[in-house]
Amino acid sequence: LVEQLGVDLKIADGQLCLETDRGMEPYAELSHGERWKIAISLGQLRVGHDGYLIVPQEAWESLDPDNQAKVWEAAREYDVRLFVGKAAAGDLRVEEFTAG
């Protein structure tokens, strides 16, 4: 079942794990950002082509800029529209993201 998810999660020694640059790590020991990146990736796969995915501010801001860029790239690849929360000064507004 885990292999069918479409992300790099594996079962090792009876635990849900992810292969990272630090080696095979249990999911529970991943950083908050690493766990959110997996969750967002699963969400993008689940909503599919022309889908919409709302990403909470807590999740989006837990990702470093490189992973934010990877999430946006995957959204373009899957043709998923992302709505992300981001803290900013001023009135509530909508801004279109542009990479780079």
Side-chain angles (χ1 to χ4, degrees):
L1 181 63
V2 171
E3 292 174 3
Q4 296 172 8
L5 291 175
V7 294
D8 293 332
L9 292 171
K10 298 177 180 9
I11 301 294
D13 297 325
Q15 294 186 26
L16 189 60
C17 296
L18 180 71
E19 183 73 40
T20 70
D21 58 352
R22 301 173 302 270
M24 189 66 74
E25 289 192 70
Y27 182 83
E29 293 178 15
L30 297 174
S31 73
H32 196 60
E34 288 169 317
R35 290 192 307 264
W36 268 117
K37 184 170 183 300
I38 292 167
I40 293 168
S41 296
L42 285 169
Q44 288 178 327
L45 291 170
R46 183 72 177 134
V47 299
H49 178 73
D50 280 337
Y52 292 84
L53 185 63
I54 298 170
V55 179
Q57 178 180 340
E58 173 190 8
W60 185 250
E61 291 185 349
S62 72
L63 299 175
D64 61 53
D66 288 341
N67 279 317
Q68 287 179 351
K70 288 176 185 174
V71 167
W72 281 115
E73 182 61 35
R76 280 191 290 277
E77 180 182 329
Y78 301 137
D79 201 18
V80 171
R81 281 138 185 98
L82 291 180
F83 295 87
V84 302
K86 183 176 169 187
D91 293 331
L92 182 63
R93 64 191 180 278
V94 174
E95 296 179 6
E96 186 173 344
F97 175 81
T98 54

